[in-house]
Amino acid sequence: MKPFQHETLPGMQYYAHFVTAAQQQHLLHHINSHPAAWKRLNNRTLQNWGGLPHIKGMLQTPLPPFLLPLVTQLTDARVFATPPNHVLINRYLPGQGIHPHVDGPAYKPVAAIISLQAPILMHFYHTTQHGAVGQRAASMLLHPRSLLVLSQHVYHHMFHAIAETTVDHIDQLVLNATPDQIATTIPRQERTSLTVRTSCRTIPNMLGRKR
Ligand SMILES: O=C(O)CCC(=O)C(=O)O
Ligand SMILES: [Fe+2]
């Protein structure tokens, strides 16, 4: 697997074609066949698989079978040293997004983001001396079927976000834009992503056992 050749941020890797068109269809089919799993937030909807992560530990539940080939693929590609145990699925309609954040210490510091359906722009920001969101450092156009890996510096010390907008503006800070894309716009369409991670501390599921 060869990462893209553009300039990148330390700890960030981008692979344009990580899943096949058939895999994308298969994943979307299974995601859409779990309507009850969607949790609606103000700015996106999400499905949480593997357990609810918490800084004190995650009550681990097994991942559903439809996600296991992806977990194996990521482990075989050495994105993860051991199979990840948690998958967050985010769905964004035009106008939706995710505020600047760091994924934080509830997970081991490797996040693998698989994008499906339509492209979306992800922004990366420096951290100020006081730990707040600083200047935008770069952006990445996340194409359908791509994989973005965030680790090391970009995981620990940079914020990432998706703007709540109906149109993404491609500018000079978009690291993987082609020259003819600069100064153009991309209208948003529904986009689904899978964020695959390893929860740091897991508590085996002992529901039903007296404590
Ligand atoms: O949807 C995405 O691409 C990003 C999701 C994300 O940042 C997260 O789940 O922490
Ligand atoms: Fe994130």
Side-chain angles (χ1 to χ4, degrees):
M1 198 169 61
K2 242 177 40 206
F4 79 123
Q5 297 300 310
H6 302 265
E7 184 194 346
T8 182
L9 297 172
M12 185 177 84
Q13 288 165 304
Y14 179 77
Y15 305 89
H17 302 292
F18 187 72
V19 298
T20 64
Q23 269 180 298
Q24 165 168 257
Q25 284 319 313
H26 181 257
L27 285 166
L28 285 169
H29 168 78
H30 283 281
I31 292 167
N32 293 336
S33 65
H34 288 98
W38 286 116
K39 189 172 164 215
R40 187 187 293 260
L41 306 185
N42 266 348
N43 55 357
R44 61 199 157 101
T45 49
L46 56 86
Q47 289 182 9
N48 187 89
W49 297 107
L52 275 182
H54 188 272
I55 192 73
K56 289 198 176 139
M58 178 173 84
L59 193 63
Q60 194 174 1
T61 51
L63 289 172
F66 81 91
L67 291 173
L68 298 181
L70 190 64
V71 165
T72 303
Q73 198 178 337
L74 287 163
T75 312
D76 288 350
R78 304 265 187 275
V79 172
F80 296 95
T82 54
N85 59 14
H86 190 262
V87 180
L88 190 66
I89 301 177
N90 284 294
R91 177 163 286 172
Y92 307 83
L93 297 176
Q96 298 192 315
I98 187 166
H99 298 308
H101 67 281
V102 291
D103 287 2
Y107 303 99
K108 290 190 183 164
V110 179
I113 299 172
I114 287 98
S115 292
L116 307 177
Q117 291 178 292
I120 210 160
L121 199 57
M122 179 175 278
H123 302 296
F124 295 89
Y125 303 85
H126 294 293
T127 305
T128 67
Q129 278 181 335
H130 309 290
V133 186
Q135 276 200 326
R136 178 163 72 105
S139 302
M140 282 296 290
L141 196 48
L142 304 184
H143 291 283
R145 297 167 43 203
S146 71
L147 164 67
L148 183 79
V149 181
L150 306 179
S151 66
Q152 302 166 31
H153 179 84
V154 74
Y155 186 98
H156 290 292
H157 302 297
M158 295 186 89
F159 286 77
H160 56 279
I162 292 170
E164 292 177 17
T165 181
T166 55
V167 180
D168 280 317
H169 295 266
I170 312 301
D171 65 13
Q172 299 284 355
L173 289 183
V174 181
L175 298 177
N176 61 333
T178 57
D180 58 317
Q181 275 179 323
I182 308 286
T184 65
T185 57
I186 300 182
R188 283 277 183 87
Q189 297 171 57
E190 181 179 285
R191 179 256 185 183
T192 301
S193 67
L194 298 93
T195 304
V196 184
R197 290 174 288 212
T198 305
S199 173
C200 267
R201 301 178 57 225
T202 55
I203 307 161
N205 196 337
M206 294 192 287
L207 280 180
R209 204 170 124 168
K210 284 209 177 106
R211 278 190 284 163

